[in-house]
Amino acid sequence: MEELRYPIGIFSFENPLTMEVVDNWVKEIEVAPFQLREAVRNLSEEQLDTPYRLGGWTVRQVVHHIADSHMNSYIRFKLALTEDQPTIKPYFEDRWAELPDSELPVEISLSLLEALHGRWVTLLRSLNESDFEKTFIHPDSGVQTVGNTIGIYAWHGRHHIAHITSLSNRLGW
């Protein structure tokens, strides 16, 4: 069950944060919308409405969740870069996944992600090493650095794309 929940493992990074590491993460963020589009390209409506695991979200909900999550993250980055250690607002992602907009065609979130990631990557590529140390406060997980959060969201995209691709592989889609 844990393999289905975390098909690429849980995010962990213990090494020194270098420009090379961040550049690789930014490249992962840059290509994520296109990898996601490819992962769902040939799926039927029935397949899009299939949960990736027992008790998990449907593929459709996963696609919309990535858009929700990455929009929130983009705003958090902008807050951290323009304010002194702002406290960000968390959201109930499970409740968001149950709202009616999570039933829309996936194309809406795929297009949104392509545009959002275009802006996000431009912002991330403009950062210097001192920007990586800027912080925000997450009420649940405490102080977070911009640098580490870039890695978390590179992982986040890969993590959810793997939910879709591993389901497709398991079911022979």
Side-chain angles (χ1 to χ4, degrees), residues 39-165:
V40 300
R41 183 169 50 95
N42 294 318
L43 300 184
S44 68
E45 292 298 308
E46 182 180 343
Q47 291 167 328
L48 289 169
D49 292 326
T50 302
Y52 71 90
R53 67 176 171 85
L54 185 63
W57 290 333
T58 66
V59 171
R60 184 183 312 276
Q61 286 173 306
V62 169
V63 171
H64 293 308
H65 161 72
I66 296 169
D68 290 342
S69 176
H70 291 199
M71 284 189 292
N72 273 284
S73 181
Y74 177 67
I75 297 301
R76 291 170 181 176
F77 274 88
K78 292 188 89 158
L79 290 169
L81 293 168
T82 61
E83 298 179 16
D84 184 28
Q85 200 173 61
T87 299
I88 58 95
K89 178 151 179 34
Y91 70 103
F92 295 104
E93 60 186 37
D94 56 331
R95 294 180 192 174
W96 284 39
E98 297 298 325
L99 293 172
D101 64 330
S102 290
E103 298 171 9
L104 289 169
V106 295
E107 180 57 38
I108 292 171
S109 285
L110 294 171
S111 296
L112 187 153
L113 280 164
E114 287 170 4
L116 175 64
H117 279 231
R119 288 192 62 183
W120 197 7
V121 166
T122 297
L123 177 67
L124 295 175
R125 287 198 171 126
S126 75
L127 303 180
N128 58 51
E129 290 187 30
S130 65
D131 291 324
F132 302 153
E133 299 305 316
K134 291 183 178 181
T135 59
F136 62 88
I137 300 170
H138 189 292
D140 297 329
S141 50
V143 176
Q144 304 293 313
T145 66
V146 165
N148 194 59
T149 304
I150 296 169
I152 290 169
Y153 279 89
W155 169 87
H156 186 260
R158 286 185 294 111
H159 164 71
H160 285 302
I161 293 166
H163 282 145
I164 298 166
T165 56

